């Protein structure tokens, strides 16, 4: 899955953003305000954090109210989404989830959001996760009419009452779908050959929401991790490499069974011509990491290699280099540019970017003036 766009809203230090496009390779966030950059990156990481420990409460930094069309509305944490991201699904993922529902062959874009109360949701862009009552109203009424002469009224009455109460805009989800499924299932013994096709179609439509829920459960683990790194001396916000080695040790079904030599080869040379101080040691079945003193570029390199080993894909890096030297920025950008097929965001001051190599000036640059308060 590739990150295509994102937006942020309801944060105290930011104005709500428009949809911000993310392109292949390195995307440079040219900013000057450390608090704004930190807010954008911390909210983005909530979409798919490396671990639950990185999913911190949002309510402290979110606005209590928002203004829309001249009106002020109170923010309800369980309803208000703070971070949105749109991804594209690759062919393998589309093929896998389309086995659940043929409609998912049309899948192209997936939207994931994190609400202020930390609950998460997923939508298929331009593809509804549930049917409306209007899609089944006419065939359902026709089925009930066909069965009226041959069925006891007590069998049909619940469905007739439901049909009379529903509006065409009602969605078949959140319990309504299961109620309809149960009542249609009760009709199964009296369905004849003439009604079979219509009945099967109605049941299939009523079950769409449940099939799409299964699809979403299959998609969530495929969302790449957002890894937020800050180039600071204290290192408090750096992601420890031991997180991934713990995952390696707990993962019983790896994509392969890499040897110690293969693991180290990935870390040493997969994404950088420079040798990394990090190395893997295997003691029996236990994987441990000797990280030495890692520079930010080497940290990025090592995390990317371990993520590739674990998940078969690269993470999305959110790297705050506002306080970095031009040399460090250039090394980070060089490392990221070697990660083919990845999409990352690097925040840096415009004055520092001007001192980096000319080719970096042609990277996708996102300015922060649109969300400064």
């Amino acid at each position: 899955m590739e990150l295509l766009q994102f937006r942020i809203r309801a944060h105290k230090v930011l104005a709500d953003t428009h949809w911000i496009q993310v392109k292949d390779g390195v995307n440079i966030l040219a900013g000057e305000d450390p608090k704004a950059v930190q807010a954008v990156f911390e909210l983005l990481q909530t979409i798919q954090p490396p671990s639950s420990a990185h999913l911190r409460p949002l309510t402290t930094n979110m606005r209590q109210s928002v203004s829309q069309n001249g009106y002020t509305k109170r923010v309800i944490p369980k309803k208000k989404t703070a971070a949105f991201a749109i991804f594209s699904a690759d062919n393998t993922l589309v093929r896998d989830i389309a086995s659940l529902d043929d409609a998912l062959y049309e899948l192209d874009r997936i939207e994931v959001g994190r609400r202020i109360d930390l609950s998460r949701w997923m939508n298929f862009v331009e593809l509804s996760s549930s049917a409306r009552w209007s899609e089944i109203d006419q065939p359902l009424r026709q089925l009930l009419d066909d069965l009226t002469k041959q069925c006891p009224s007590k069998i049909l009455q619940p469905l007739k009452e439901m049909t009379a109460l529903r509006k065409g805009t009602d969605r078949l989800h959140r319990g309504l779908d299961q109620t309809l499924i149960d009542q249609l299932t009760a009709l199964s013994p009296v369905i004849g050959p003439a009604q079979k096709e219509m009945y099967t179609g109605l049941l299939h439509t009523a079950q769409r929401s449940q099939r799409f829920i299964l699809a979403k459960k299959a998609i969530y683990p495929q969302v790449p991790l957002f890894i937020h790194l800050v180039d600071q001396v204290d290192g408090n916000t750096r992601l420890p490499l031991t997180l991934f080695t713990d995952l390696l040790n707990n993962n019983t079904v790896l994509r392969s069974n890499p040897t110690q030599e293969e693991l180290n080869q990935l870390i040493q040379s997969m994404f950088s011509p420079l040798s990394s101080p990090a190395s893997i040691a295997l003691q029996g079945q236990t994987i441990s990491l000797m990280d030495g003193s890692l520079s930010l570029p080497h940290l990025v390199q090592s995390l990317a290699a371990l993520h590739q080993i674990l998940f078969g894909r690269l993470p999305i890096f959110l790297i705050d280099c506002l306080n970095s030297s031009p040399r460090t920025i250039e090394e980070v950008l060089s490392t990221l540019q070697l990660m083919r097929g990845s999409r990352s965001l690097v925040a840096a001051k415009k004055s520092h970017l001007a001192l980096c190599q000319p080719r970096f000036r042609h990277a996708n640059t996102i300015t922060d003036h649109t969300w400064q308060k």
Side-chain angles (χ1 to χ4, degrees):
M1 294 177 66
E2 291 185 344
L3 176 64
L4 301 178
Q5 301 176 76
F6 71 89
R7 61 182 294 196
I8 303 298
R9 67 182 188 185
H11 198 281
K12 286 182 178 179
V13 304
L14 299 171
D16 293 354
T17 74
H18 55 284
W19 280 110
I20 298 170
Q21 186 176 8
V22 179
K23 297 183 179 179
D24 286 333
V26 181
N27 295 264
I28 300 174
L29 175 57
E32 301 293 334
D33 184 351
K35 290 183 178 180
V37 168
Q38 181 179 0
V40 170
F41 282 178
E42 286 185 349
L43 288 181
L44 264 183
Q45 188 176 232
T46 66
I47 298 294
Q48 187 79 311
S51 71
S52 58
H54 293 83
L55 195 58
R56 300 182 180 92
L58 299 179
T59 51
T60 305
N61 297 318
M62 307 309 290
R63 282 176 256 156
Q64 301 298 310
S65 62
V66 293
S67 297
Q68 294 178 341
N69 302 321
Y71 295 94
T72 299
K73 298 174 61 177
R74 183 171 65 89
V75 169
I76 302 175
K78 67 180 181 180
K79 293 184 178 180
K80 190 70 171 180
T81 299
F84 301 77
I86 293 181
F87 300 86
S88 64
D90 60 33
N91 292 335
T92 301
L93 179 58
V94 172
R95 184 170 60 250
D96 289 345
I97 63 176
S99 63
L100 299 170
D101 193 301
D102 289 344
L104 290 167
Y105 273 118
E106 302 174 23
L107 179 67
D108 187 28
R109 301 289 185 266
I110 301 168
E111 185 177 5
V112 183
R114 180 74 71 172
R115 301 183 186 92
I116 295 174
D117 70 349
L118 296 183
S119 60
R120 192 167 61 164
W121 54 264
M122 178 185 293
N123 282 331
F124 301 115
V125 179
E126 298 182 357
L127 187 63
S128 176
S129 298
S130 59
R132 291 191 184 275
W133 188 269
S134 58
E135 296 179 46
I136 65 162
D137 186 67
Q138 184 175 351
L140 180 57
R141 290 178 185 273
Q142 181 63 54
L143 178 67
L144 293 174
D145 287 344
D146 290 350
L147 295 176
T148 296
K149 296 180 181 179
Q150 64 189 70
C151 294
S153 59
K154 65 178 182 179
I155 295 179
L156 302 180
Q157 192 60 30
L159 266 176
K160 287 184 177 180
E161 291 177 357
M162 176 183 282
T163 301
L165 294 173
R166 303 270 50 109
K167 298 178 181 178
T169 54
D170 290 347
R171 287 240 172 245
L172 299 180
H173 64 170
R174 297 178 181 175
L176 179 58
D177 55 334
Q178 189 58 55
T179 300
L180 179 60
I181 291 168
D182 291 343
Q183 294 186 8
L184 285 171
T185 302
L187 295 182
S188 179
V190 298
I191 297 297
Q195 297 93 31
K196 186 68 174 180
E197 183 176 351
M198 185 183 300
Y199 173 80
T200 301
L202 285 167
L203 195 58
H204 186 268
T205 302
Q207 293 168 337
R208 182 196 300 177
S209 176
Q210 296 181 2
R211 292 193 301 275
F212 276 41
I213 287 173
L214 293 176
K216 291 175 182 179
K217 288 181 178 179
I219 291 171
Y220 272 126
Q222 301 302 315
V223 178
L225 294 183
F226 286 75
I227 298 179
H228 180 203
L229 300 175
V230 180
D231 186 22
Q232 292 181 339
V233 175
D234 59 23
N236 288 336
T237 54
R238 285 195 174 183
L239 184 74
L241 291 176
T242 51
L243 171 69
F244 281 172
T245 53
D246 288 345
L247 288 174
L248 280 167
N249 284 311
N250 293 330
N251 193 335
T252 56
V253 186
L254 289 175
R255 295 177 67 256
S256 61
N257 294 312
T259 64
Q260 179 173 334
E261 181 180 355
E262 290 170 338
L263 288 171
N264 284 318
Q265 184 179 4
L266 273 173
I267 291 178
Q268 295 296 329
S269 61
M270 186 170 183
F271 305 118
S272 174
L274 303 175
S275 177
S276 171
S279 61
I280 286 286
L282 292 179
Q283 297 178 345
Q285 297 298 316
T286 301
I287 299 172
S288 60
L289 185 76
M290 297 171 287
D291 59 7
S293 177
L294 291 180
S295 65
L296 182 59
H298 282 135
L299 181 67
V300 170
Q301 174 188 344
S302 302
L303 287 169
L306 290 171
H307 193 282
Q308 180 76 31
I309 294 167
L310 272 167
F311 306 110
R313 58 185 181 275
L314 293 168
I316 297 171
F317 283 109
L318 310 170
I319 306 177
D320 184 350
C321 287
L322 284 188
N323 296 317
S324 301
S325 67
R327 179 177 178 180
T328 297
I329 296 171
E330 188 171 321
E331 290 176 348
V332 168
L333 294 176
S334 296
T335 300
L336 291 172
Q337 284 189 329
L338 290 170
M339 299 182 193
R340 303 301 181 188
S342 68
R343 298 189 177 208
S344 299
L345 286 160
V346 178
K349 294 180 179 178
K350 296 178 183 178
S351 58
H352 285 175
L353 288 173
L355 299 175
C356 294
Q357 293 183 21
R359 70 174 181 272
F360 299 135
R361 298 173 192 168
H362 302 292
N364 182 39
T365 302
I366 303 166
T367 57
D368 65 354
H369 67 276
T370 54
W371 61 69
Q372 293 298 295
K373 296 195 73 174

